[in-house]
């Protein structure tokens, strides 16, 4: 599994940045949703 992941990252180094970006976006949206829900 790790070997496959390493090979994938070697072929597509941008995948890591895209995955991190999506994760950060999800966390940001969750925080916005959570705070917005809390103020009502």
């Amino acid at each position: 599994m790790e070997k496959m992941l390493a090979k994938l990252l070697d072929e597509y180094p941008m995948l890591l940045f895209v995955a991190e970006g999506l994760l950060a976006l999800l966390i940001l949206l969750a925080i916005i949703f959570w705070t917005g829900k809390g103020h009502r």
Side-chain angles (χ1 to χ4, degrees), residues 2-27:
E2 279 182 34
K3 203 176 283 183
M4 196 178 79
L5 195 64
K7 189 181 167 208
L8 194 69
L9 286 176
D10 275 343
E11 289 181 29
Y12 311 101
M14 288 303 293
L15 267 181
L16 195 62
F17 293 107
V18 172
E20 282 184 14
L22 285 172
L23 188 66
L25 190 66
L26 280 172
I27 292 170

